[in-house]
Amino acid sequence: MTDVCFQMKGTAVTAVVMDLYNYSSGVFYEQLKQKIDTAPHFFNASPLVLNLSSYDGLLQSEHLSQVVASCRELGLQPMACKAAPEHLLGAIKKLGMACLPASNARTTKIEAEPVAQVESPRATKIITRPIRSGQQVYAEGSDLILMAAVSEGAEVLADGHIHVYGPLRGRALAGVKGDTDARIFCRQMEAELVSIAGYFILNDKLREQCWKQPAQVYLEGESIQVAAL
């Protein structure tokens, strides 16, 4: 009997999403380089999704190729285009990228009488060991409590809140499935990136607020807020 060669399963993968508004060759490259220079460790080899839903005008296939080439030259890994118009589908395939729909949301209308529900307490995942560079911890469907440090280059994710009872030097992403009420709490803020429900800020902005101090991170509208604890 032949041994099983592989297994396929779903998992959480962090990707940078670039909303492309317009394109001018030299301007785009310089602006992207400046952004990457603010957090080179974070952006290096990061998977990238190009969101074309807000593009102003008609994006030409040669310009899309130039965008992808610039991203790859600067260390990003473009893997997909979101909300691409039909005339670009062939070019995207030639670039070795996937095409994603404009929205992953599924809407189903169900007519039913309202029923009072009691919300179940959210589960909690507790990690007592340090999270070292290159490691990723994901608390699916739960909050995440980390009793030790999160090193630079490490990544912690949770569908709910994240609590770090040590220095937070890596990346922390709470509410990864869209919970805008999720928060991040840490004893010492030195993060490369913090994110709530897909909205994020990088190290350069964090250094201006509660740096190396106890802090909490939360979402206010579409803006990430950092406040002292």
Side-chain angles (χ1 to χ4, degrees), residues 81-150:
C81 284
K82 183 177 180 181
E86 189 171 350
H87 75 278
L88 289 177
L89 299 184
I92 293 169
K93 185 176 180 180
K94 288 181 180 179
L95 289 167
M97 299 168 65
C99 295
L100 303 179
S103 174
N104 294 325
R106 298 179 181 177
T107 303
T108 304
K109 187 176 181 181
I110 301 175
E111 299 293 342
E113 292 295 323
V115 178
Q117 295 183 350
V118 177
E119 186 175 342
S120 300
R122 182 150 51 194
T124 302
K125 183 174 185 176
I126 301 175
I127 305 293
T128 58
R129 69 181 188 278
I131 310 302
R132 305 195 184 281
S133 180
Q135 294 182 324
Q136 183 191 74
V137 174
Y138 174 39
E140 184 176 7
S142 67
D143 295 338
L144 177 61
I145 295 178
L146 300 154
M147 304 302 295
V150 178

Side-chain angles (χ1 to χ4, degrees), residues 16-20 22-50 63-78 200 202 204:
V16 175
V17 177
M18 176 190 289
D19 294 328
L20 190 64
N22 54 68
Y23 178 74
S24 174
S25 178
V27 175
F28 174 84
Y29 186 91
E30 286 304 315
Q31 289 182 358
L32 181 58
K33 187 176 185 303
Q34 289 174 12
K35 174 60 70 174
I36 289 174
D37 286 344
T38 63
H41 187 86
F42 168 71
F43 285 112
N44 183 42
S46 288
L48 176 72
V49 175
L50 289 172
H63 289 167
L64 175 63
S65 297
Q66 291 169 15
V67 167
V68 172
S70 294
C71 291
R72 288 173 174 164
E73 181 180 337
L74 292 171
L76 293 167
Q77 300 294 324
F200 68 89
L202 296 171
D204 58 329

